[in-house]
């Protein structure tokens, strides 16, 4: 809210003369405060306080409606932005983030330098933030909210926690109130206390939270996004804006990834390009491939197509300062000789074509007919997204495995309708072919007919009462050939129905 009203540099200029700002939402059928700005906290407002009480304390208070969707979007955006420091970023409720910086701090000169850089950048983005670095998530949570020290060594955990209130252990409100009634108001009151009486009276959660804050109990973090197996990053001294510059840098990053992919014997199946804009916004652009890929030129070409596809949604603003290319998914890559092979590899150009089309139009823009285990014509083949060029070879092998005698015995039309269309037919009773039929308001008189070819219903799909079909290949007086079928039989419990299922030419 402050950034939208006063600009991103409002912190450096100082807060304008404005009443305290609070956010309210309906809680238990009453409007209560759910968020406060810094001035409101200093003025004595409390979370959960009623709006009427807040106005009584300060009539000029600025009460705004809470927008949880916007708050969540801001937190997600900050999580993307924080991935410049580490790929392991986890959400903590609706107001905080966890960053696992193990093995990353040395890239910025150590833990203190990393923390100073993070807080300074957030300050210039107009975001008030508190942070702490420690060996446990619980201790960092406590110090960031209630402490003053920024970087805590593992051996200092007890000393730093002791003066903090019980709320620093992330305990339920009713437990904190119960602890306060018996005089246990600070964490130091229970650190050296006997553990057995505490567990009997207050339960195991109290000791679990204490051990997590002290670093004696593991507390795994769940990153909000999967961590890529490989990534390459380029930090720029001058931001770039043009698509050509992004393309060149992407190809450079892909070239840096190639040796490691070759070393692993893998090729990327999914690539992700992260563009960090100077004002804090992060763009994620993903590009999938139909086969494992390691060639930098083709990888960069995919993102050229993606950039053209998302051109209107990609606002470069004042430019991008960091580019990162990641490989979230990879598969085994089989090296193939490019020249003098004697037989050209027809899958390579086909894969390149499929990758370009899917990068430009989307992952489900190409479909492949695949044989299905069904003798009902409209179910005998289904269309699946072309996720892998290898599907073409599989489909071809499946088609070639059909016996020739079976293909000759069951002639199918060139055009098969996805759903049979009803027709009005006049036919010989009880099993004869149609003499004439009306389809799409046109009358067709039959000159020749072949059949019937009976296809039984799939009772496990359509039910036991589903009628069988008798198919006829017919030719009208003008030489047009059709594929009709009769569902049911004359003289049965129900009148049979006729359908048009395809045309031969």
């Amino acid at each position: 809210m402050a950034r939208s009203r006063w600009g991103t540099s409002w912190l450096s200029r100082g807060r304008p003369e404005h009443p305290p700002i609070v956010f309210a939402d309906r809680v238990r059928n009453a409007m209560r405060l759910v968020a406060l700005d810094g001035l409101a906290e200093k003025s004595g407002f409390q979370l959960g306080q009623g709006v009427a009480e807040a106005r009584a304390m300060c009539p000029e208070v600025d009460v705004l409606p809470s927008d949880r969707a916007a708050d969540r979007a801001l937190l997600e955006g900050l999580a993307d932005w924080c991935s410049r420091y580490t790929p392991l970023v986890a959400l903590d409720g609706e107001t905080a983030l966890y960053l696992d910086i193990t093995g990353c701090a040395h890239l910025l000169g150590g833990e203190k330098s990393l923390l100073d850089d993070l807080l300074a950048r957030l300050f210039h983005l107009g975001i008030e933030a508190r942070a702490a670095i420690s060996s446990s998530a619980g201790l960092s949570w406590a110090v960031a909210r209630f402490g003053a020290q920024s970087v805590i060594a593992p051996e200092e955990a007890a000393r730093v926690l002791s003066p903090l209130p019980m709320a620093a252990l992330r305990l339920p409100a009713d437990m904190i109130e119960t602890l306060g009634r018996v005089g246990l108001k600070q964490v130091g009151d229970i650190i050296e206390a006997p553990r057995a009486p505490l567990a009997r009276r207050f339960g195991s959660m109290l000791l679990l939270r204490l051990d997590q804050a002290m670093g004696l109990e593991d507390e795994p973090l769940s990153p909000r996004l999967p961590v890529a197996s490989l990534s390459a990053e380029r930090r720029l001294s001058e931001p770039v804006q043009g698509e050509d510059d992004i393309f060149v840098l992407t190809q450079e990053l892909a070239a840096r990834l190639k040796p490691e992919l070759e070393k692993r014997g893998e090729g990327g199946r999914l690539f992700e390009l992260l563009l960090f804009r100077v004002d804090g916004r992060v763009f994620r652009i993903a590009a999938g491939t139909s086969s494992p890929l390691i060639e930098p030129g083709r990888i960069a070409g995919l993102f050229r197509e993606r950039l053209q596809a998302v051109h209107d949604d990609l606002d470069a603003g004042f430019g991008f300062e960091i580019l990162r290319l990641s490989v979230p998914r990879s598969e085994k890559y089989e090296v193939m000789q490019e020249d003098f092979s004697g037989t050209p590899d027809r899958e390579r150009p086909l894969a390149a074509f499929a990758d370009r089309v899917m990068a430009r139009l989307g992952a489900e823009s190409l479909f492949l007919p695949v044989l299905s285990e069904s003798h009902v014509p409209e179910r005998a083949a289904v269309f699946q997204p072309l996720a892998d060029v290898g599907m073409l070879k599989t489909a071809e092998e499946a088609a070639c495995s059909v016996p020739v005698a079976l293909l000759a015995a069951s002639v199918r039309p060139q055009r098969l309708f996805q759903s049979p269309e009803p027709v009005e037919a006049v036919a010989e009773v009880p099993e004869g072919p149609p003499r004439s039929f009306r389809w799409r308001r046109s009358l067709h008189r039959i000159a020749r007919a072949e059949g019937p070819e009976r296809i039984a219903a799939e009772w496990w799909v359509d039910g036991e009462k589903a009628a069988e079909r008798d198919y006829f290949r017919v030719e009208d007086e003008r030489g047009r050939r059709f594929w009709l079928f009769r569902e049911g039989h004359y003289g049965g419990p129900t009148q049979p129905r006729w359908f048009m299922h395809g045309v031969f030419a």
Side-chain angles (χ1 to χ4, degrees):
M1 188 285 303
R3 299 172 73 227
S4 61
R5 283 190 177 185
W6 305 323
T8 57
S9 58
W10 72 275
L11 282 173
S12 58
R13 295 197 307 264
R15 189 182 191 278
E17 291 293 334
H18 192 278
I21 300 175
V22 298
F23 292 85
D25 200 354
R26 184 170 294 278
V27 179
R28 297 179 182 177
N29 295 325
M31 295 301 295
R32 299 186 180 277
L33 306 187
V34 295
L36 314 172
D37 76 339
L39 182 58
E41 289 182 349
K42 295 178 182 178
S43 301
F45 293 98
Q46 299 292 329
L47 294 178
Q49 189 176 18
V51 172
E53 183 182 353
R55 293 191 184 279
M57 291 175 53
C58 180
E60 63 273 13
V61 63
D62 190 359
V63 181
L64 300 176
S66 175
D67 189 344
R68 294 185 179 275
D71 293 341
R72 184 71 177 189
L74 175 62
L75 191 63
E76 294 276 357
L78 285 177
D80 283 334
W81 180 86
C82 287
S83 64
R84 66 174 58 212
Y85 298 103
T86 172
L88 297 172
V89 181
L91 301 180
D92 177 34
E94 299 180 354
T95 59
L97 300 171
Y98 284 120
L99 276 67
D100 187 346
I101 60 171
T102 304
C104 302
H106 69 281
L107 300 175
L108 288 172
E111 296 175 347
K112 185 65 168 61
S113 298
L114 186 150
L115 185 63
D116 291 343
D117 182 79
L118 183 146
L119 294 177
R121 289 179 180 273
L122 290 176
F123 178 85
H124 291 296
L125 291 176
I127 298 175
E128 292 183 289
R130 292 170 57 89
I133 295 179
S134 72
S135 58
S136 68
L139 181 56
S140 297
W141 192 97
V143 175
R145 287 166 172 78
F146 301 97
Q149 192 170 343
S150 57
V151 180
I152 303 98
E155 62 273 10
E156 296 181 327
R159 178 187 63 81
V160 174
L161 278 172
S162 294
L164 302 184
M166 283 296 178
L169 294 182
R170 299 173 292 171
L171 300 172
D174 55 346
M175 184 180 294
I176 295 174
E177 184 178 355
T178 303
L179 289 166
R181 285 200 296 265
V182 298
L184 302 177
K185 298 182 178 181
Q186 294 181 333
V187 179
D189 298 333
I190 63 171
I191 288 181
E192 300 296 337
R195 299 173 69 89
L198 289 175
R200 284 196 301 268
R201 182 163 184 179
F202 302 105
S204 61
M205 178 179 288
L206 176 62
L207 298 180
L208 174 63
R209 289 302 192 188
L210 178 62
D211 290 342
Q212 287 176 343
M214 295 284 291
L216 303 176
E217 187 76 25
D218 290 336
E219 185 178 1
L221 300 179
S222 299
R224 55 185 289 267
L225 295 175
V227 180
S229 59
L230 279 175
S231 64
E233 183 178 288
R234 176 71 183 273
R235 295 175 181 263
L236 306 173
S237 57
E238 292 292 336
V240 297
Q241 294 177 313
E243 291 185 5
D244 291 337
D245 295 330
I246 297 175
F247 172 77
V248 172
L249 291 171
T250 302
Q251 187 167 357
E252 177 186 325
L253 294 175
R256 290 166 54 183
L257 291 175
K258 183 178 180 180
E260 185 62 28
L261 287 171
E262 291 177 335
K263 180 179 178 181
R264 299 184 179 190
E266 296 179 346
R269 286 297 308 274
L270 178 64
F271 296 89
E272 187 177 56
L273 180 65
L274 273 69
L275 305 174
F276 294 80
R277 206 166 66 180
V278 293
D279 64 351
R281 187 174 177 183
V282 180
F283 293 88
R284 290 181 178 271
I285 304 175
T289 66
S290 57
S291 60
L293 189 61
I294 64 172
E295 292 84 0
R298 284 185 58 188
I299 296 172
L302 294 179
F303 287 101
R304 181 183 287 277
E305 299 290 343
R306 293 293 297 132
L307 290 173
Q308 293 178 0
V310 302
H311 177 77
D312 294 337
D313 298 327
L314 186 65
D315 182 10
F318 292 103
F320 301 105
E321 59 179 347
I322 300 177
L323 282 79
R324 180 186 299 159
L325 182 62
S326 304
V327 187
R329 185 160 58 93
S330 60
E331 292 181 0
K332 182 179 179 181
Y333 180 79
E334 296 182 1
V335 180
M336 305 177 68
Q337 186 172 344
E338 296 288 344
D339 300 316
F340 308 108
S341 61
T343 56
D345 180 16
R346 62 187 183 91
E347 289 189 0
R348 288 294 179 90
L350 182 59
F353 166 77
D355 293 343
R356 292 186 61 186
V357 172
M358 290 189 292
R360 174 68 70 89
L361 303 178
E364 295 188 355
S365 57
L366 292 178
F367 289 85
L368 176 71
V370 179
L371 294 179
S372 178
E373 294 184 358
S374 175
H375 56 263
V376 177
E378 64 267 26
R379 300 174 186 165
V382 295
F383 284 92
Q384 295 182 358
L386 182 62
D388 192 333
V389 172
M391 295 172 59
L392 292 173
K393 186 176 181 180
T394 303
E396 183 178 1
E397 292 175 350
C400 293
S401 65
V402 179
V404 177
L406 180 60
L407 293 176
S410 57
V411 179
R412 295 293 180 258
Q414 280 78 11
R415 181 186 177 192
L416 184 72
F417 298 152
Q418 185 174 5
S419 299
E421 300 182 6
V423 299
E424 298 175 2
V426 176
E428 297 178 359
V429 177
E431 305 290 340
R435 292 299 184 183
S436 64
F437 66 92
R438 187 178 298 276
W439 175 53
R440 295 181 180 178
R441 299 183 181 181
S442 297
L443 180 63
H444 300 266
R445 299 188 183 278
I446 304 303
R448 299 176 182 83
E450 295 178 342
E453 176 190 352
R454 180 160 293 179
I455 297 181
E458 295 179 339
W459 56 265
W460 56 93
V461 176
D462 303 313
E464 296 182 357
K465 296 182 179 181
E468 55 191 10
R469 300 176 180 180
D470 284 342
Y471 279 85
F472 296 88
R473 296 188 295 273
V474 301
E475 181 179 326
D476 66 3
E477 294 176 344
R478 300 178 59 182
R480 293 173 295 190
R481 304 186 66 198
F482 306 95
W483 204 40
L484 302 174
F485 72 87
R486 182 186 64 241
E487 186 178 72
H489 303 280
Y490 290 102
T494 60
Q495 190 72 7
R497 298 183 300 168
W498 287 86
F499 293 90
M500 171 72 67
H501 207 163
V503 294
F504 285 91

